[in-house]
Amino acid sequence: MEVGSVLHFLQNKTILIIGATGFLAKIFLEKILRVQPNVKKIFLLLRASDDNSATYRLHNEIIAKDLFIVLKEKLGANFKSFISEKLTLVPGDISYEDLGLKDSTLREDICNQTDVIVNLAATTNFDERYDIALGLNTFGVKHVMNFAKQCTKLKVLVHVSTAYVCGERGGLIPEDPYHFGETLNGVSGLDIDAEKTIVCNNLDELKEQGATERDVKIAMKNLGISRAKVYGWPNTYVFTKAVGEMLVEKLKGNLSVVILRPTIVTSTMKEPFPGWAEGVRTIDSLAVTYGQGKLTCFLGDINGVVDVVPADMVVNAMLVAMVAHAKQPSDIIYHVGSSVRNPLTYLNLQDFGLKYFTAKPWIRKDGTPVKVGRVTVLTSMDSFQRYMFIRYLLPLKGLELANAALCQYFRGTYLELHRKIQVVMRMVELYRPYMFFTGVFDDMNTEKLRMAAKQSGTETDLFYFDTKDINWDDYFMKTHIPGIVKYIFK
């Protein structure tokens, strides 16, 4: 495998980024503009109905972010003209054929000029509405693949998935593709057109019943979870992403396609500066609620491996893989994570949180610091249910009896506690597979890519993605947790 110079490859290239407002997409865009200003053009496909909506999203959801501060300082007064020259906005929606492009001239320009397509469009909510997740994560991929075949100059397509398409499988998880119709539990009959029919039939039934928008939302969320479980996946997100991968394999033909499967993506480690984050993601919610004194117990295997990878490393792996496979038709999948090369455990995360929030306690609104300590660790669903019964369900039963005796005097308190318990139970059900996850992600292909880059003159100091180089204590204490805290207090 030959890689060569990434900077040289990017020079004078035209790139189509799909899903441009996403976390990784913004970092990917910023990196290219900062390190290779001689990129020819970047088409940004944004979910928008028209040019004005796309422009609004560009300025408010992308360019306005702190992420671009280094580039702004570098270019000074030329920043706006540079952005205007390099970026072309594409209002569209991958849920539709031809990516929902209404401007035929723009569509023709993209098809005739694009060298690289990077598909980062996705909804990442575990329990997203099934109609939305299927439209973006599955049919969206089908539409991207069909569009890519119309791009006459296309050298490579990079499709970003997730390592957790493996479901709840344990042990060493290989970088293997999913073939169309394959399921995790061996149940046959997986067919995306049939799934679309199921969605349409359910929506029609709900409409006939006069269901409210809230009822439709809940029904679609529940449908997604139940359909995922039919075929062995734990939630809507990983199910629809896995089927999306199947479509990449089925439809790619002679295209050069790379599938990247990152694990849990965290804040930037180095570039454009350490600790840039956007939103409180999976494990970050644990850190934040712990720092606020609200996390009283942890459900899961405290010694279990949690696979995280800084966002800038994922972007660098995308760029190197893109160059390595340009014009080289391949059947390659890359896991980008740390569980094999530099494993981190939930116990490590607990220690980092304790050290950080002891040294820099969270300050309440009244100005008093939150004191943190070790949390109660519940190692099984049985112990969790006992904990919930004693701490919450018994008081709830008491309130129910008090309401019966006192003419519903505590009705408001009862309903609020009942709602909180329902939310907790749903969240536990969603995240349970990951709290007890026993898999580690083989990254042999990624290691071969790293070695090839090292041996063929790639700028590895600029496009680093070796997770073995991460000092986790240093990263969490000085970079990641401070970055999350800073984001919350913006």
Side-chain angles (χ1 to χ4, degrees):
M1 186 195 309
E2 280 290 323
V3 183
S5 169
V6 176
L7 293 178
H8 182 263
F9 176 86
L10 290 171
Q11 191 166 344
N12 210 33
K13 292 294 190 300
T14 295
I15 301 169
L16 168 61
I17 301 177
I18 299 171
T21 57
F23 177 58
L24 280 175
K26 285 194 268 266
I27 298 170
F28 182 81
L29 172 64
E30 190 279 340
K31 176 91 179 193
I32 292 175
L33 293 175
R34 178 167 45 82
V35 302
Q36 184 44 284
N38 293 321
V39 65
K40 187 175 184 180
K41 185 185 291 186
I42 300 178
F43 289 112
L44 294 183
L45 191 138
L46 304 161
R47 280 189 93 185
S49 55
D50 53 35
D51 289 340
N52 289 337
S53 300
T55 301
Y56 178 85
R57 294 199 74 188
L58 170 69
H59 290 291
N60 288 274
E61 297 178 39
I62 302 177
I63 300 302
K65 300 296 179 183
D66 292 349
L67 177 70
F68 288 85
I69 197 166
V70 175
L71 186 61
K72 286 176 181 174
E73 287 172 357
K74 183 179 176 182
L75 295 173
N78 297 323
F79 178 75
K80 283 187 179 177
S81 60
F82 176 74
I83 290 296
S84 178
E85 176 196 344
K86 298 297 178 183
L87 304 187
T88 298
L89 296 185
V90 182
D93 187 338
I94 66 166
S95 301
Y96 300 98
E97 291 283 355
D98 277 338
L99 313 185
L101 301 184
K102 296 171 185 173
D103 185 334
S104 58
T105 305
L106 179 57
R107 181 185 168 284
E108 201 172 308
D109 286 346
I110 297 169
C111 288
N112 292 338
Q113 297 174 27
T114 299
D115 297 293
V116 177
I117 294 176
V118 179
N119 182 26
L120 285 147
T123 173
T124 58
N125 294 336
F126 283 7
D127 64 341
E128 181 62 90
R129 287 178 55 144
Y130 193 38
D131 51 341
I132 292 173
L134 203 62
L136 283 172
N137 296 348
T138 304
F139 280 94
V141 175
K142 179 183 178 182
H143 300 147
V144 168
M145 296 305 293
N146 289 336
F147 185 83
K149 289 176 180 177
Q150 301 170 49
C151 296
T152 53
K153 286 180 61 185
L154 190 67
K155 295 170 178 60
V156 63
L157 183 150
V158 178
H159 174 74
V160 179
S161 185
T162 170
Y164 295 95
V165 289
C166 65
E168 298 179 66
R169 199 187 324 174
L172 186 65
I173 299 159
E175 295 162 297
D176 288 346
Y178 284 107
H179 301 293
F180 199 73
E182 185 180 340
T183 62
L184 294 185
N185 58 6
V187 172
S188 61
L190 175 55
D191 181 312
I192 63 162
D193 293 318
E195 294 303 312
K196 190 173 184 179
T197 300
I198 289 169
V199 166
C200 292
N201 289 344
N202 272 265
L203 287 172
D204 288 343
E205 281 178 28
L206 289 162
K207 191 176 180 180
E208 284 173 19
Q209 294 164 7
T212 65
E213 184 55 37
R214 184 174 180 274
D215 290 337
V216 172
K217 183 179 179 180
I218 291 169
M220 283 294 107
K221 284 191 168 196
N222 290 337
L223 179 63
I225 296 287
S226 66
R227 294 308 298 168
K229 288 184 175 178
V230 165
Y231 297 111
W233 278 272
N235 60 60
T236 312
Y237 168 55
V238 293
F239 172 53
T240 52
K241 289 295 284 184
V243 183
E245 280 196 24
M246 294 175 196
L247 286 170
V248 172
E249 291 294 322
K250 182 182 180 183
L251 299 173
K252 69 182 183 183
N254 293 323
L255 291 178
S256 178
V257 177
V258 174
I259 295 177
L260 251 92
R261 292 177 181 161
T263 54
I264 299 169
V265 182
T266 51
S267 62
T268 55
M269 187 174 80
K270 294 181 189 176
E271 291 187 12
F273 53 84
W276 188 75
E278 186 177 48
V280 177
R281 313 174 93 74
T282 338
I283 60 166
D284 304 336
S285 57
L286 291 175
V288 170
T289 50
Y290 173 73
Q292 293 171 333
K294 297 176 183 175
L295 186 70
T296 55
C297 70
F298 173 84
L299 171 66
D301 179 3
I302 196 72
N303 294 307
V305 172
V306 52
D307 195 319
V308 305
V309 56
D312 47 336
M313 285 195 166
V314 178
V315 163
N316 290 336
M318 287 167 60
L319 286 160
V320 174
M322 179 178 89
V323 177
H325 296 283
K327 279 294 184 187
Q328 295 178 33
S330 57
D331 190 10
I332 194 80
I333 289 172
Y334 291 111
H335 280 152
V336 186
S338 58
S339 53
V340 167
R341 296 179 63 71
N342 193 359
L344 176 75
T345 67
Y346 283 108
L347 182 60
N348 295 142
L349 293 183
Q350 186 187 55
D351 290 342
F352 298 148
L354 179 61
K355 278 167 63 180
Y356 183 85
F357 290 111
T358 299
K360 297 178 181 177
W362 196 282
I363 305 300
R364 297 187 183 93
K365 287 181 180 177
D366 64 4
T368 59
V370 174
K371 189 175 181 181
V372 295
R374 295 271 172 194
V375 298
T376 302
V377 178
L378 307 170
T379 57
S380 68
M381 287 302 290
D382 286 345
S383 62
F384 171 73
Q385 284 160 355
R386 283 195 300 272
Y387 178 86
M388 288 297 291
F389 181 77
I390 294 166
R391 192 166 180 125
Y392 297 106
L393 295 175
L394 277 179
L396 188 70
K397 193 68 182 172
L399 279 171
E400 193 177 346
L401 293 171
N403 278 329
L406 299 169
C407 304
Q408 302 299 311
Y409 183 79
F410 296 108
R411 179 173 167 76
T413 308
Y414 172 85
L415 290 174
E416 179 61 15
L417 182 58
H418 185 267
R419 185 190 67 79
K420 285 181 177 176
I421 291 170
Q422 293 295 105
V423 169
V424 167
M425 297 307 287
R426 185 174 180 87
M427 295 306 289
V428 163
E429 183 55 31
L430 277 177
Y431 286 102
R432 177 195 55 77
Y434 306 104
M435 296 292 117
F436 295 100
F437 188 71
T438 58
V440 293
F441 296 100
D442 183 22
D443 64 347
M444 188 60 73
N445 290 341
T446 310
E447 174 61 6
K448 287 175 183 174
L449 182 67
R450 275 191 288 265
M451 294 304 295
K454 206 171 185 178
Q455 292 163 9
S456 58
T458 305
E459 303 86 351
T460 50
D461 56 331
L462 197 55
F463 302 100
Y464 51 89
F465 57 101
D466 190 347
T467 52
K468 199 169 187 177
D469 293 339
I470 304 171
N471 179 319
W472 289 122
D473 190 304
D474 195 64
Y475 171 71
F476 276 94
M477 295 295 292
K478 297 178 183 176
T479 301
H480 185 65
I481 300 177
I484 297 302
V485 171
K486 182 182 175 183
Y487 173 82
I488 290 169
F489 283 107
K490 272 184 185 176

